[in-house]
Amino acid sequence: MQFGIFSVGDVTPDPTTGRTPTERERIKAMVAIALKAEEAGLDVFATGEHHNPPFVPSSPTTMLGHIAARTERLILSTATTLITTNDPVKIAEDFAMLQHLADGRVDLMLGRGNTAPVYPWFGQDIRQGIPLAIENYALLHRLWREEAVDWEGKFRTPLQGFTATPRPLDGVPPFVWHGSIRSPEIAEQAAYYGDGFFHNNIFWPAEHTKRMVELYRTRYAHHGHGTPEQAIVGLGGHVFMRRNSQDAVREFRPYFDVAPVYGHGPSLEDFMAQTPLTVGSPQQVIEKTLAFREYAGDYQRQLFLVDHAGLPLKTVLEQIDLLGEEVVPVLRKEFAVGRPAEVPDAPTHAARLAGT
């Protein structure tokens, strides 16, 4: 099982000091977070893609290419690549290039995004979000697998004998996770292709996550890719830790209250009760994360959000140390207990090249 962190890359004032980092500081901080993730023994770093304030990571492959040059083991991913507003030809070429630079340590998570104004900025209509996601991925899937592609669809100009360059490393396309919070059509898309399904469950109660994951697993088996238990599932999570749980709650509360993603809504206590958010001790994070298996089954990737809402970089790096030293080693051990032999490991380039 893989463990890692993802960042949405928000540029948010620290509510305890009032200071807002510059865009350069925030970008450099994300790089530092990725390097710390490798140092701490985590498996994955994933960056979001946004084209609107207060978020800064508009060019994920640029950032991940830089991180690739400074790491040796870390899997580099996205925590969403916008399949709706990016051209599939550009996605195909950018991520194949990144594959070569990173020696295969690359996958990506495709999603529609949740910011309505982005669509017209890139010449698209949000009302066509699902059809765009379906058509664009159908083309992307072919571009990585066929040397010369003839294509005609609704949303872009036709292609005739087009070859995307460079070709995927070793002839193995980057592994794709289809990310969705609430769209069953995306779970179906992931199942149809036999790709991974990443449910970023940080906003949602267990019952919703269970329904989405079960839908994907059922349809994965329906399309002949294996048993429901062999489907490839990833989950999100959001944690803030201190040795003493009361200290964690007291320190994190002002950040939660102004968080761009979900601040100004339910209380911290209500949100923790209803979603995977865990603010407390490392042991509390372990216990709540292990409970994900009760409703999602045995899964392959667990990513944590640790740097949201203006938290200082020093504090974020402390969170990663706690994950690496106290949380993830226990999770690796406990998630392995009772894991059926037929449940596959998380896909890697080496394993896919070997056909396992």
Short mmCIF file of all heavy atoms in Angstrom, two decimals, residues 268-301:
data_model
loop_
_atom_site.label_atom_id
_atom_site.label_comp_id
_atom_site.label_asym_id
_atom_site.label_seq_id
_atom_site.Cartn_x
_atom_site.Cartn_y
_atom_site.Cartn_z
N LEU A 268 -15.26 22.78 13.73
CA LEU A 268 -14.20 21.79 13.62
C LEU A 268 -14.67 20.44 14.17
O LEU A 268 -14.44 19.39 13.57
CB LEU A 268 -12.96 22.28 14.37
CG LEU A 268 -11.78 21.32 14.47
CD1 LEU A 268 -11.29 20.90 13.10
CD2 LEU A 268 -10.64 21.95 15.28
N GLU A 269 -15.35 20.47 15.31
CA GLU A 269 -15.81 19.23 15.93
C GLU A 269 -16.82 18.51 15.05
O GLU A 269 -16.77 17.28 14.89
CB GLU A 269 -16.40 19.51 17.31
CG GLU A 269 -15.38 19.84 18.38
CD GLU A 269 -14.77 21.24 18.26
OE1 GLU A 269 -15.34 22.07 17.50
OE2 GLU A 269 -13.76 21.52 18.92
N ASP A 270 -17.76 19.26 14.47
CA ASP A 270 -18.76 18.64 13.60
C ASP A 270 -18.10 18.06 12.36
O ASP A 270 -18.46 16.96 11.90
CB ASP A 270 -19.82 19.67 13.19
CG ASP A 270 -20.79 19.97 14.31
OD1 ASP A 270 -20.83 19.21 15.30
OD2 ASP A 270 -21.51 21.00 14.19
N PHE A 271 -17.15 18.79 11.81
CA PHE A 271 -16.49 18.32 10.60
C PHE A 271 -15.69 17.05 10.87
O PHE A 271 -15.69 16.12 10.07
CB PHE A 271 -15.59 19.42 10.03
CG PHE A 271 -15.41 19.34 8.54
CD1 PHE A 271 -16.34 19.90 7.68
CD2 PHE A 271 -14.31 18.69 7.99
CE1 PHE A 271 -16.18 19.82 6.30
CE2 PHE A 271 -14.14 18.61 6.62
CZ PHE A 271 -15.08 19.17 5.77
N MET A 272 -15.02 17.00 12.02
CA MET A 272 -14.28 15.79 12.35
C MET A 272 -15.21 14.61 12.56
O MET A 272 -14.88 13.47 12.21
CB MET A 272 -13.43 16.02 13.61
CG MET A 272 -12.16 16.81 13.38
SD MET A 272 -11.00 16.65 14.76
CE MET A 272 -11.86 17.58 16.04
N ALA A 273 -16.38 14.85 13.12
CA ALA A 273 -17.32 13.77 13.37
C ALA A 273 -17.91 13.21 12.08
O ALA A 273 -18.26 12.03 12.01
CB ALA A 273 -18.43 14.25 14.30
N GLN A 274 -18.02 14.05 11.06
CA GLN A 274 -18.75 13.66 9.86
C GLN A 274 -17.86 13.30 8.67
O GLN A 274 -18.34 12.75 7.68
CB GLN A 274 -19.69 14.80 9.45
CG GLN A 274 -20.76 15.11 10.47
CD GLN A 274 -21.54 16.37 10.14
OE1 GLN A 274 -21.60 16.80 8.99
NE2 GLN A 274 -22.14 16.98 11.16
N THR A 275 -16.57 13.61 8.74
CA THR A 275 -15.66 13.40 7.61
C THR A 275 -14.36 12.76 8.10
O THR A 275 -14.16 12.60 9.31
CB THR A 275 -15.32 14.73 6.92
OG1 THR A 275 -14.35 15.44 7.71
CG2 THR A 275 -16.56 15.60 6.72
N PRO A 276 -13.43 12.42 7.19
CA PRO A 276 -12.16 11.84 7.61
C PRO A 276 -11.19 12.79 8.30
O PRO A 276 -10.12 12.35 8.74
CB PRO A 276 -11.55 11.34 6.30
CG PRO A 276 -12.69 11.18 5.38
CD PRO A 276 -13.63 12.28 5.74
N LEU A 277 -11.49 14.08 8.37
CA LEU A 277 -10.57 15.01 9.03
C LEU A 277 -10.25 14.52 10.44
O LEU A 277 -11.16 14.23 11.23
CB LEU A 277 -11.18 16.41 9.10
CG LEU A 277 -10.38 17.44 9.91
CD1 LEU A 277 -9.02 17.72 9.25
CD2 LEU A 277 -11.17 18.74 10.07
N THR A 278 -8.96 14.44 10.75
CA THR A 278 -8.51 14.02 12.08
C THR A 278 -7.56 15.05 12.63
O THR A 278 -6.49 15.29 12.06
CB THR A 278 -7.79 12.65 12.02
OG1 THR A 278 -8.58 11.73 11.26
CG2 THR A 278 -7.60 12.11 13.43
N VAL A 279 -7.93 15.68 13.72
CA VAL A 279 -7.09 16.63 14.43
C VAL A 279 -6.89 16.07 15.82
O VAL A 279 -7.85 15.99 16.61
CB VAL A 279 -7.73 18.03 14.48
CG1 VAL A 279 -6.82 19.01 15.21
CG2 VAL A 279 -8.03 18.54 13.07
N GLY A 280 -5.67 15.66 16.12
CA GLY A 280 -5.44 15.02 17.40
C GLY A 280 -4.05 14.43 17.48
O GLY A 280 -3.10 14.95 16.88
N SER A 281 -3.93 13.33 18.19
CA SER A 281 -2.64 12.66 18.38
C SER A 281 -2.35 11.72 17.21
O SER A 281 -3.26 11.33 16.47
CB SER A 281 -2.68 11.86 19.67
OG SER A 281 -3.61 10.78 19.55
N PRO A 282 -1.09 11.30 17.05
CA PRO A 282 -0.79 10.31 16.02
C PRO A 282 -1.63 9.04 16.16
O PRO A 282 -2.06 8.46 15.16
CB PRO A 282 0.70 10.04 16.21
CG PRO A 282 1.24 11.34 16.75
CD PRO A 282 0.15 11.85 17.65
N GLN A 283 -1.88 8.61 17.38
CA GLN A 283 -2.68 7.41 17.58
C GLN A 283 -4.11 7.60 17.08
O GLN A 283 -4.70 6.67 16.50
CB GLN A 283 -2.70 7.02 19.06
CG GLN A 283 -3.43 5.72 19.35
CD GLN A 283 -2.84 4.53 18.60
OE1 GLN A 283 -1.63 4.42 18.43
NE2 GLN A 283 -3.71 3.62 18.14
N GLN A 284 -4.66 8.78 17.26
CA GLN A 284 -6.00 9.04 16.75
C GLN A 284 -6.03 9.01 15.22
O GLN A 284 -6.99 8.52 14.62
CB GLN A 284 -6.51 10.38 17.27
CG GLN A 284 -6.88 10.36 18.75
CD GLN A 284 -7.22 11.74 19.29
OE1 GLN A 284 -6.42 12.68 19.16
NE2 GLN A 284 -8.39 11.86 19.89
N VAL A 285 -4.98 9.53 14.59
CA VAL A 285 -4.88 9.47 13.13
C VAL A 285 -4.82 8.01 12.67
O VAL A 285 -5.48 7.61 11.70
CB VAL A 285 -3.67 10.27 12.62
CG1 VAL A 285 -3.43 10.02 11.14
CG2 VAL A 285 -3.87 11.75 12.89
N ILE A 286 -4.02 7.21 13.35
CA ILE A 286 -3.91 5.80 13.00
C ILE A 286 -5.27 5.11 13.10
O ILE A 286 -5.70 4.41 12.18
CB ILE A 286 -2.88 5.10 13.93
CG1 ILE A 286 -1.46 5.60 13.61
CG2 ILE A 286 -2.98 3.58 13.79
CD1 ILE A 286 -0.42 5.20 14.64
N GLU A 287 -5.96 5.32 14.19
CA GLU A 287 -7.23 4.63 14.41
C GLU A 287 -8.28 5.05 13.38
O GLU A 287 -9.00 4.19 12.84
CB GLU A 287 -7.73 4.92 15.83
CG GLU A 287 -6.87 4.27 16.91
CD GLU A 287 -7.24 4.72 18.31
OE1 GLU A 287 -8.19 5.55 18.44
OE2 GLU A 287 -6.60 4.25 19.27
N LYS A 288 -8.36 6.35 13.09
CA LYS A 288 -9.38 6.79 12.14
C LYS A 288 -9.05 6.33 10.73
O LYS A 288 -9.94 5.93 9.97
CB LYS A 288 -9.54 8.31 12.18
CG LYS A 288 -10.77 8.79 11.43
CD LYS A 288 -11.18 10.18 11.85
CE LYS A 288 -12.49 10.61 11.22
NZ LYS A 288 -12.92 11.95 11.70
N THR A 289 -7.77 6.36 10.35
CA THR A 289 -7.39 5.94 9.00
C THR A 289 -7.62 4.45 8.81
O THR A 289 -8.10 4.01 7.76
CB THR A 289 -5.93 6.31 8.72
OG1 THR A 289 -5.73 7.71 8.95
CG2 THR A 289 -5.56 5.99 7.28
N LEU A 290 -7.30 3.64 9.81
CA LEU A 290 -7.54 2.21 9.71
C LEU A 290 -9.02 1.91 9.52
O LEU A 290 -9.39 0.92 8.86
CB LEU A 290 -7.01 1.49 10.96
CG LEU A 290 -5.49 1.37 11.07
CD1 LEU A 290 -5.11 0.78 12.42
CD2 LEU A 290 -4.92 0.52 9.94
N ALA A 291 -9.87 2.77 10.05
CA ALA A 291 -11.31 2.55 9.92
C ALA A 291 -11.80 2.76 8.49
O ALA A 291 -12.90 2.29 8.14
CB ALA A 291 -12.07 3.49 10.87
N PHE A 292 -11.00 3.42 7.64
CA PHE A 292 -11.42 3.59 6.25
C PHE A 292 -11.66 2.24 5.57
O PHE A 292 -12.51 2.10 4.71
CB PHE A 292 -10.36 4.36 5.45
CG PHE A 292 -10.15 5.79 5.86
CD1 PHE A 292 -9.13 6.54 5.28
CD2 PHE A 292 -10.94 6.41 6.82
CE1 PHE A 292 -8.91 7.86 5.64
CE2 PHE A 292 -10.73 7.73 7.18
CZ PHE A 292 -9.71 8.46 6.60
N ARG A 293 -10.87 1.24 5.97
CA ARG A 293 -11.00 -0.08 5.35
C ARG A 293 -12.35 -0.71 5.63
O ARG A 293 -12.81 -1.55 4.86
CB ARG A 293 -9.86 -0.99 5.82
CG ARG A 293 -9.86 -2.35 5.16
CD ARG A 293 -8.56 -3.10 5.33
NE ARG A 293 -8.21 -3.33 6.72
CZ ARG A 293 -7.17 -4.06 7.12
NH1 ARG A 293 -6.38 -4.62 6.22
NH2 ARG A 293 -6.90 -4.23 8.39
N GLU A 294 -12.99 -0.31 6.71
CA GLU A 294 -14.28 -0.90 7.06
C GLU A 294 -15.35 -0.61 6.02
O GLU A 294 -16.27 -1.41 5.83
CB GLU A 294 -14.73 -0.39 8.44
CG GLU A 294 -13.80 -0.79 9.58
CD GLU A 294 -14.18 -0.14 10.89
OE1 GLU A 294 -15.24 0.55 10.93
OE2 GLU A 294 -13.43 -0.29 11.87
N TYR A 295 -15.22 0.55 5.35
CA TYR A 295 -16.25 0.88 4.35
C TYR A 295 -15.70 1.01 2.93
O TYR A 295 -16.48 1.09 1.98
CB TYR A 295 -17.00 2.17 4.74
CG TYR A 295 -16.14 3.37 5.05
CD1 TYR A 295 -15.69 4.20 4.03
CD2 TYR A 295 -15.80 3.71 6.36
CE1 TYR A 295 -14.93 5.32 4.30
CE2 TYR A 295 -15.03 4.83 6.64
CZ TYR A 295 -14.60 5.63 5.62
OH TYR A 295 -13.85 6.75 5.90
N ALA A 296 -14.38 1.00 2.76
CA ALA A 296 -13.80 1.09 1.41
C ALA A 296 -13.14 -0.20 0.97
O ALA A 296 -12.75 -0.33 -0.19
CB ALA A 296 -12.80 2.23 1.33
N GLY A 297 -13.01 -1.15 1.88
CA GLY A 297 -12.31 -2.39 1.57
C GLY A 297 -10.80 -2.20 1.57
O GLY A 297 -10.29 -1.14 1.96
N ASP A 298 -10.08 -3.22 1.16
CA ASP A 298 -8.63 -3.12 1.06
C ASP A 298 -8.29 -2.27 -0.16
O ASP A 298 -8.70 -2.59 -1.29
CB ASP A 298 -8.01 -4.51 0.92
CG ASP A 298 -8.09 -5.31 2.20
OD1 ASP A 298 -7.34 -5.00 3.14
OD2 ASP A 298 -8.94 -6.23 2.26
N TYR A 299 -7.55 -1.20 0.06
CA TYR A 299 -7.26 -0.27 -1.03
C TYR A 299 -5.77 -0.06 -1.18
O TYR A 299 -4.97 -0.64 -0.43
CB TYR A 299 -8.04 1.03 -0.84
CG TYR A 299 -7.76 1.83 0.41
CD1 TYR A 299 -7.06 3.03 0.35
CD2 TYR A 299 -8.24 1.44 1.66
CE1 TYR A 299 -6.82 3.79 1.48
CE2 TYR A 299 -8.02 2.19 2.80
CZ TYR A 299 -7.30 3.36 2.71
OH TYR A 299 -7.07 4.12 3.84
N GLN A 300 -5.38 0.73 -2.17
CA GLN A 300 -3.97 0.77 -2.59
C GLN A 300 -3.23 2.06 -2.26
O GLN A 300 -2.02 2.04 -2.16
CB GLN A 300 -3.88 0.55 -4.12
CG GLN A 300 -4.05 -0.88 -4.55
CD GLN A 300 -5.49 -1.38 -4.46
OE1 GLN A 300 -6.44 -0.61 -4.44
NE2 GLN A 300 -5.64 -2.69 -4.40
N ARG A 301 -3.92 3.18 -2.13
CA ARG A 301 -3.21 4.46 -1.93
C ARG A 301 -3.96 5.33 -0.94
O ARG A 301 -5.17 5.49 -1.05
CB ARG A 301 -3.05 5.21 -3.26
CG ARG A 301 -2.39 6.58 -3.11
CD ARG A 301 -2.10 7.24 -4.46
NE ARG A 301 -0.94 6.62 -5.12
CZ ARG A 301 -0.41 7.06 -6.25
NH1 ARG A 301 -0.93 8.12 -6.87
NH2 ARG A 301 0.65 6.46 -6.78
#
